[in-house]
Amino acid sequence: MTFICYLKSCAPSAVRSLILQKKLNIRNMSSMTGGHRPASVVVLHRSLAPAFEKFCQANSGPLPLLGQSEPGQWTLPTRDTARDTRTGSPQFHKYEFGACTGSLASLEEHSEQLKDMVTFFLDCSFSPEGALEKVGLPRRDPAGHGHVGAYKTAVPCVHIAGFGCPLVVTMRPIPKDKLEKLVQASCSMVGEQGQPIHIGDPELLGIKDLSKPDYGDPVVCQPGDVPVFWPSPLTSLEAVISCKTPLAFTSAPGCTVMTDLKDMEARASCPTHEGIPEVHLISQDPLHYSITSAPAAQKIRELETIIAVDPGNRGIGHLLCKDELLKASLSLSHAHSVLITTGFPTHFKHEPPEETDGPPGAIALATFLQALEKGVSMIVDQRALSLFKKLVEEAVEQGVLKTQTPILTFQGGSAEVARAFLCENRDPTSPRFDHLVAIERTGRAADGNYYNARKMNIKHLADPIDDLFLAAQKIPGISSTGVGDGGNELGMGKVKEAVKSHIRNGDVIACDVEADFAVIAGVSNWGGYALACALYILNSCEVHERYLRKAIGPSRAPGEQNWVQALPSISKEEKMLGILVRHEVRSGVSGNVGMEVDGLPFHGTHTQIIQKLLDVTAGSV
């Protein structure tokens, strides 16, 4: 340890001299740079240089390019007098036609070939150990006392010309109670380069066994630890292998050279408050956390406050749980295929018995999920299938919904039938959907019946879609959200004790089936609108968007995706309500056929809520 401290105090040239004496095998110089920024190097034939530069730019998370040399030169041309890497480098790897054929202490013997080669310098200034120290966590040495392990993932980098390879990541186990502080510390040190790309189950990255890294030695996870993953510059080795060039060189894993870029120059890219993330658990099985910036999270909390007003004085304030909208929208943002259900047949003496609360919120959410290019399906009661097909068709015709969405039904039968419905070929490791959403969907009570707010049993009108939510609880990889305004809606089982205590007739009508996230709103449609707006905010947030794409590929600009047009609007929601009225769907409280929802007029009450949601959302553009 004393000798390591001595190395830290040495000038870079002195450290190189020690290396050239070959008395040491220094495997990791990132903690010995004395203020100089360490870099790994990739040396390629000049003909491959343009393609590799573009490859780095397209995958800047794992391959943060500091600069490149001119052919045959060994300096980083953009900063002062750079260090000669030909003889002063730690170990190199030599690659021929995609295979590693040797480890070298010097490149002198290849001087002739190097005249036609270009050196790329990849930033290695970030090390999680610095963040660990900052939050008071001890450094954990790898089990084999070599350099910290790195893992090939199943996440493909963006392919450029002959370069295409999997993302390589490094991992540190972090105690759960220190997780957010660690992530914030790592981002505060070097900006987005310190931002993790995954927190949770390694299998979500395609990593089967943390004890068997592809490079280096593992760091052992202790009980209560959460694996945190960062992109690794070792991705460059996989890129060199993929191009199968006749000759290439790279830094050996765990080895770096030092550039004349100072660490202080990196601080210019450190984030402001807008870039400091919040960390939220979105799934227990598999374990999965997501992140977003603090300002984005605050905007979503404002949305949650807007929809929590209680115009019917039902007492829904007692049902509210903090950040349910935030966590539900984070989970939906990670989803690939979403199944939405709605339909509350409260008007059992009329045809159709549905109410105007639910379908507009479901369509609004489906519209924005389509804009995010996610798979979207709806599931409704068999008896209402014809009605919902017409509603969706007319929503598309009037520009409320972009494209038709599949509409499914489920008659149930058993838990096994429900599991089979949710999984491809009955395989629980291959779910058809990874998020279920219920918006104002009648929910099963503890006695097995379905009740409206007046305690009328409407079980004969409801298919057992609840069984899908129950089955999803036992299938890893499927999350669920319930949106409700009275406690008798599907998913509200999460707050059933509060419903029984504070909602009129709650002891009878309370839904017994819970969702992972319970979004409470004064009118359930508002919850659907808020979810769409929250998804816009998240996907417009640079911190969250980078986390979603694992720091590879280009960022997505909201304007380019036409996301604004996909948001709910007063005009679109007026059209949607008009479609329902034409099909004689009634208001939930009054039973009127007209431009109202839950007895509240569209113009005035509902338009004000929609505008408030949009005003908050617009600030994220």
Side-chain angles (χ1 to χ4, degrees):
M1 186 66 184
T2 303
F3 189 68
I4 295 295
C5 292
Y6 166 71
L7 287 177
K8 285 185 177 181
S9 68
C10 287
S13 57
V15 177
R16 285 194 183 81
S17 297
L18 288 168
I19 296 167
L20 289 173
Q21 292 171 23
K22 298 183 180 179
K23 294 180 180 179
L24 297 171
N25 181 22
I26 296 178
R27 303 298 300 169
N28 189 340
M29 294 182 64
S30 62
S31 63
M32 310 175 195
T33 58
H36 291 263
R37 293 176 74 180
S40 61
V41 300
V42 174
V43 187
L44 295 167
H45 190 270
R46 64 194 304 169
S47 63
L48 296 174
F52 188 71
E53 181 181 10
K54 291 178 181 177
F55 183 74
C56 292
Q57 292 168 347
N59 302 284
S60 60
L63 303 171
L65 187 60
L66 288 176
Q68 65 191 76
S69 72
E70 294 297 324
Q73 295 183 7
W74 298 93
T75 61
L76 185 60
T78 58
R79 293 289 190 275
D80 304 325
T81 303
R83 314 295 178 180
D84 191 313
T85 63
R86 225 172 343 186
T87 59
S89 172
Q91 293 185 27
F92 287 99
H93 277 180
K94 177 182 178 182
Y95 290 88
E96 296 175 284
F97 299 100
C100 183
T101 57
S103 181
L104 308 171
S106 168
L107 299 184
E108 284 291 350
E109 62 185 275
H110 296 280
S111 293
E112 283 302 312
Q113 296 100 316
L114 292 172
K115 291 178 180 178
D116 285 322
M117 301 185 84
V118 173
T119 303
F120 291 86
F121 297 82
L122 302 173
D123 191 0
C124 294
S125 60
F126 172 71
S127 171
E129 277 63 42
L132 289 170
E133 182 179 353
K134 192 170 183 178
V135 298
L137 290 173
R139 173 176 178 151
R140 297 190 201 173
D141 292 324
H145 304 291
H147 68 87
V148 175
Y151 305 82
K152 290 190 286 187
T153 71
V155 179
C157 290
V158 174
H159 191 280
I160 300 291
F163 295 97
C165 66
L167 171 68
V168 177
V169 296
T170 185
M171 185 279 297
R172 302 295 188 279
I174 306 300
K176 182 168 61 175
D177 61 341
K178 298 285 188 180
L179 193 56
E180 185 166 78
K181 288 184 178 180
L182 183 282
V183 173
Q184 291 175 348
S186 65
C187 291
S188 69
M189 292 170 63
V190 289
E192 69 173 20
Q193 192 182 339
Q195 181 182 313
I197 54 91
H198 178 65
I199 304 172
D201 191 334
E203 289 206 19
L204 292 174
L205 294 176
I207 299 170
K208 299 298 183 184
D209 189 347
L210 286 177
S211 70
K212 298 178 180 178
D214 296 283
Y215 299 95
D217 298 312
V219 177
V220 178
C221 288
Q222 303 294 338
D225 285 344
V226 176
V228 180
F229 297 86
W230 287 267
S232 170
L234 291 179
T235 303
S236 63
L237 275 62
E238 295 295 319
V240 169
I241 291 170
S242 72
C243 77
K244 301 186 186 304
T245 182
L247 181 65
F249 304 96
T250 70
S251 302
C255 297
T256 56
V257 298
M258 284 175 286
T259 71
D260 285 312
L261 288 168
K262 297 296 183 76
D263 281 348
M264 66 184 67
E265 297 177 43
R267 297 297 177 262
S269 65
C270 288
T272 61
H273 174 65
E274 285 72 17
I276 298 298
E278 290 188 10
V279 180
H280 293 275
L281 177 66
I282 60 172
S283 172
Q284 286 282 7
D285 188 11
L287 185 66
H288 193 191
Y289 290 79
S290 187
I291 68 175
T292 189
S293 70
Q298 183 55 38
K299 286 181 179 294
I300 294 173
R301 293 185 180 108
E302 291 176 29
L303 300 180
E304 190 170 57
T305 300
I306 291 169
I307 66 173
V309 297
D310 189 2
N313 295 315
R314 300 179 183 181
I316 65 168
H318 297 287
L319 313 185
L320 296 174
C321 299
K322 183 183 177 183
D323 285 345
E324 290 291 283
L325 178 65
L326 174 58
K327 289 182 283 189
S329 55
L330 282 168
S331 179
L332 277 168
S333 189
H334 285 270
H336 299 286
S337 180
V338 181
L339 181 65
I340 303 174
T341 185
T342 190
F344 203 120
T346 188
H347 302 298
F348 56 92
K349 293 182 179 180
H350 297 276
E351 182 58 38
E354 271 67 32
E355 61 167 305
T356 52
D357 193 16
I363 294 293
L365 176 58
T367 299
F368 202 81
L369 290 170
Q370 286 182 349
L372 294 177
E373 300 181 353
K374 298 183 186 296
V376 188
S377 301
M378 296 183 68
I379 185 164
V380 299
D381 295 310
Q382 177 67 45
R383 56 156 189 82
L385 180 60
S386 177
L387 170 65
F388 275 92
K389 283 185 175 180
K390 292 175 183 177
L391 296 179
V392 168
E393 288 172 3
E394 293 181 29
V396 173
E397 289 172 3
Q398 296 203 28
V400 178
L401 184 65
K402 184 177 180 181
T403 59
Q404 294 273 357
T405 183
I407 303 179
L408 313 174
T409 62
F410 177 74
Q411 270 65 62
S414 67
E416 179 56 37
V417 171
R419 284 193 294 272
F421 181 92
L422 292 174
C423 300
E424 298 284 359
N425 302 317
R426 299 176 177 267
D427 180 2
T429 64
S430 300
R432 295 169 64 191
F433 314 99
D434 41 20
H435 204 116
L436 311 183
V437 182
I439 300 178
E440 190 66 18
R441 168 69 195 176
T442 181
R444 184 185 299 155
D447 63 3
N449 293 318
Y450 297 78
Y451 296 97
N452 65 13
R454 295 177 292 278
K455 293 197 298 187
M456 301 302 298
N457 188 353
I458 53 176
K459 182 177 180 179
H460 60 291
L461 297 172
D463 290 341
I465 293 173
D466 307 64
D467 289 345
L468 299 178
F469 281 66
L470 291 171
Q473 295 172 5
K474 299 179 180 179
I475 301 174
I478 304 182
S479 299
S480 60
T481 295
V483 180
D485 57 19
N488 55 345
E489 301 88 3
L490 179 53
M492 294 298 106
K494 184 172 184 179
V495 293
K496 63 184 178 182
E497 296 307 319
V499 173
K500 292 176 183 178
S501 299
H502 299 286
I503 302 297
R504 183 185 177 190
N505 300 322
D507 57 329
V508 174
I509 70 173
C511 177
D512 198 52
V513 179
E514 69 178 77
D516 295 316
F517 313 106
V519 176
I520 310 300
V523 175
S524 293
N525 281 343
W526 302 348
Y529 305 155
L531 282 169
C533 290
L535 285 168
Y536 180 95
I537 292 169
L538 289 175
N539 284 269
S540 302
C541 167
E542 291 182 4
V543 171
H544 180 70
E545 190 270 340
R546 186 178 189 272
Y547 188 78
L548 280 180
R549 59 183 170 86
K550 308 291 188 290
I552 56 177
S555 60
R556 297 188 298 181
E560 296 174 3
Q561 303 294 329
N562 295 317
W563 291 346
V564 174
Q565 291 88 336
L567 285 169
S569 68
I570 292 174
S571 173
K572 287 198 295 184
E573 299 318 313
E574 184 175 23
K575 290 179 181 178
M576 190 65 231
L577 186 54
I579 293 170
L580 289 163
V581 169
R582 282 194 294 277
H583 289 279
E584 298 188 341
V585 179
R586 298 171 181 270
S587 174
V589 174
S590 67
N592 293 334
V593 177
M595 297 296 288
E596 64 176 59
V597 180
D598 278 355
L600 304 169
F602 178 76
H603 293 286
T605 304
H606 297 286
T607 55
Q608 287 179 9
I609 293 294
I610 294 169
Q611 190 59 54
K612 287 180 179 179
L613 294 173
L614 292 175
D615 288 345
V616 170
T617 305
S620 64
V621 179

